[in-house]
Amino acid sequence: MYEFESGEKALQGCQEKIPDVILLDYRLPDIDGLEFLNQLQRQTQGSQTSVIMLTGQGDETIAVQAIKNGAQDYLVKGKLTPDNLRRAVHGAIEQMQLMRQLKQQQEQQKLVGTIALDIRQSLNLQDILATSVQKVRQLLSADRVLIYQFTPQMQGSVVAESVLPQWTPILGLEIEDTCFQENQGGEYCRGKIWAATNVYEAGLSDCHINLLERFQVKANLVAPILLENKESPAIELWGLFIVHQCSAPRQWQTFEVELLNQLTVQLAIAIQQAELYHNLQTLNTELEAKVQERTAKLHQSEEKLRQSEALLATTQQIAHVGTEDVEQIEQAVLNALAQQTNFQGEYRVIYPNGSVHWLTGKGHGVYWVME
C-alpha cells in the first residue's frame, strides 16, 4: 500500500507501477480529483486500474463527472464505514478484473484470428511459426516463446523462437530429451497442457530440471501440437508450443492456457496444409521426371527406327552385290551410322550375264539431335 500527499506525487508513483485500486480524495493540495483522473488516463494510456473517489460532500454532479472520467465508485467521507469501504474496494477490483479478462479475451481472439488468416493466405510454414511465437510472446509479456518439433525417435529441434535479448537464444538447437524418449511423449500425446508456476516445485524429474536449467527457465507453459492421421486413428505428436518465464516464477492464467490450446489447433492446420503442399510439389517433380524419361526413351526408339530404315534401304540397294561382300558393306554402313559419318566402300556387282564389276559406293549421312 502506498500513500501520497499530493496528486503530482501520486501520478509519479503510478508511472513506476500501476496499482490495482486508487482511493482518491477529491480535494487534493495541488489539483482536484477530476483533473487527477484526466492526467491518469493520459499517462497510463487506458491501462486498467480502479479508482474510488472520496469527497466530503455528496455532490451528485461531481460523482457523475468522476464516473465519466474513469472512476469506478464514489464515496462520501461522512458516510464512510469499514464495511462499505471494503465492499467498494472489492467491487472495484472485481470490475477491473472482469474488464481485464474481457480485454485479454479480445486480444486472444484477435491473435487467433490473425494467425488463422495468415494460414489461409500463406503456404510458408516457417513464416507462420515465426509470426506465432513473436505475437504470443508480446501478448503474454513472456521471456521466451518457442516451437519444438519432434522426430520419430522423439528427439527434435527448436524450429521457431522469440526471446528477449537478455536470455539465451536457442533457435535451431537440437535437443535430445531422454525423458520424452522413455515415455514417447507421455500425456502430451493425449492433449494435456502443462503449466508449471515454478519448475522446481512441479515434481519434474532430474533430467527434465537439468534441461530447463540450461535455458534459464523458472516457469513454463507447454501445449502439444497434435496432427490427425487420415490413414489410421492414431494421433501424431508433431511438436510443442512452449512459453518460458526466465526472470521469476509465474502464475499462469486460464486465458493464457486457453490461448495456447486454440493456437495449437490452428498451427496443426497450417502444418498439415504445408505438408500437403510439399507432397503435391514432390509428386509434380516426380511426374515431370517420368515424362522426361519417357520422352528420352521415345527419342531413342525413333533413332533406332531411323537406323533400321536406313539399313534396309542400303540392303535393297546392294541386293546384287556379290555374296562375299554383303556382310562387309553392311558393317561399314552400320559403323557410319553409329559414328555419324559419311559412308564409302568398294564391292563387287554381278551383272545378269555373270560378269563381275568393282564399284565404289558413297553415302552422305544427314543427322540431327533430338531435343
Side-chain angles (χ1 to χ4, degrees):
M1 180 180 294
Y2 301 91
E3 182 177 356
F4 301 96
E5 297 178 353
S6 67
E8 292 297 336
K9 291 183 178 180
L11 289 170
Q12 292 176 5
C14 290
Q15 288 180 341
E16 299 176 1
K17 183 176 181 181
I18 300 177
D20 294 323
V21 179
I22 298 176
L23 292 177
L24 175 63
D25 194 335
Y26 176 72
R27 296 192 178 279
L28 298 172
D30 46 358
I31 58 176
D32 64 39
L34 296 178
E35 178 59 27
F36 177 89
L37 287 172
N38 289 331
Q39 293 189 35
L40 180 66
Q41 290 291 330
R42 291 194 298 269
Q43 177 176 298
T44 59
Q45 297 180 347
S47 297
Q48 303 294 333
T49 186
S50 299
V51 179
I52 300 175
M53 181 79 78
L54 300 177
T55 183
Q57 53 185 339
D59 191 329
E60 293 183 358
T61 302
I62 295 178
V64 171
Q65 292 177 340
I67 298 299
K68 285 183 176 180
N69 288 1
Q72 274 65 51
D73 206 345
Y74 177 89
L75 298 176
V76 179
K77 293 180 181 179
K79 300 179 181 180
L80 189 62
T81 66
D83 287 340
N84 61 23
L85 177 60
R86 182 170 55 252
R87 284 194 298 269
V89 171
H90 287 173
I93 292 176
E94 289 178 359
Q95 181 179 355
M96 191 54 57
Q97 288 176 341
L98 290 174
M99 293 178 65
R100 287 175 179 173
Q101 290 176 5
L102 178 60
K103 183 178 180 181
Q104 290 167 347
Q105 290 175 358
Q106 291 173 341
E107 292 177 342
Q108 173 182 326
Q109 293 304 318
K110 182 179 178 181
L111 175 58
V112 173
T114 299
I115 293 176
L117 181 61
D118 290 342
I119 292 172
R120 289 194 294 269
Q121 294 180 339
S122 174
L123 293 173
N124 190 321
L125 179 60
Q126 191 57 47
D127 287 348
I128 294 173
L129 299 182
T131 299
S132 299
V133 295
Q134 176 70 16
K135 292 183 177 180
V136 170
R137 189 191 61 76
Q138 292 174 346
L139 178 61
L140 302 187
S141 298
D143 294 329
R144 180 192 293 116
V145 174
L146 63 94
I147 294 177
Y148 178 82
Q149 181 181 1
F150 286 111
T151 65
Q153 294 75 33
M154 301 309 294
Q155 301 176 9
S157 62
V158 179
V159 295
E161 180 193 33
S162 176
V163 60
L164 292 177
Q166 61 266 40
W167 308 111
T168 303
I170 57 176
L171 179 61
L173 182 66
E174 295 183 359
I175 302 173
E176 182 177 354
D177 190 342
T178 56
C179 302
F180 279 108
Q181 293 175 340
E182 292 172 0
N183 60 18
Q184 295 298 301
E187 295 186 356
Y188 287 128
C189 292
R190 294 184 286 275
K192 180 179 179 180
I193 296 179
W194 169 267
T197 300
N198 187 332
V199 297
Y200 295 103
E201 299 175 357
L204 299 174
S205 62
D206 290 341
C207 68
H208 204 162
I209 288 292
N210 293 336
L211 178 64
L212 293 174
E213 285 181 341
R214 289 173 54 191
F215 311 134
Q216 308 154 299
V217 180
K218 299 294 190 302
N220 67 343
L221 180 61
V222 185
I225 302 174
L226 302 174
L227 303 184
E228 294 183 359
N229 191 332
K230 295 182 179 180
E231 299 179 356
S232 70
I235 299 295
E236 175 191 353
L237 179 60
W238 183 91
L240 302 173
F241 198 112
I242 304 174
V243 181
H244 284 167
Q245 199 67 31
C246 303
S247 55
R250 172 170 175 168
Q251 183 67 49
W252 302 104
Q253 304 300 314
T254 303
F255 94 93
E256 296 170 331
V257 176
E258 180 59 26
L259 172 63
L260 257 63
N261 185 42
Q262 293 186 39
L263 285 178
T264 54
V265 173
Q266 295 297 328
L267 290 178
I269 295 174
I271 293 166
Q272 291 177 317
Q273 177 178 283
E275 289 181 349
L276 180 62
Y277 179 68
H278 174 73
N279 293 339
L280 181 60
Q281 284 187 315
T282 302
L283 183 62
N284 287 338
T285 301
E286 293 175 352
L287 182 59
E288 289 177 359
K290 289 181 179 179
V291 169
Q292 292 176 358
E293 180 181 356
R294 294 187 64 179
T295 302
K297 289 182 178 179
L298 179 59
H299 289 167
Q300 292 176 359
S301 298
E302 291 177 346
E303 176 65 18
K304 289 181 179 179
L305 178 61
R306 187 183 64 80
Q307 293 179 1
S308 298
E309 291 175 344
L311 178 61
L312 177 61
T314 302
T315 303
Q316 290 175 345
Q317 291 177 1
I318 62 176
H320 300 288
V321 176
T323 303
E324 58 272 27
D325 295 332
V326 170
E327 293 184 358
Q328 177 182 347
I329 297 303
E330 288 181 346
Q331 186 61 46
V333 171
L334 290 175
N335 290 340
L337 291 174
Q339 299 174 8
Q340 296 188 357
T341 60
N342 295 330
F343 161 75
Q344 179 175 335
E346 293 184 351
Y347 52 91
R348 287 167 290 184
V349 177
I350 301 175
Y351 280 25
N353 60 7
S355 60
V356 177
H357 302 269
W358 283 92
L359 299 177
T360 298
K362 296 181 179 181
H364 178 69
V366 178
Y367 305 96
W368 66 93
V369 177
M370 301 295 292
E371 294 183 356

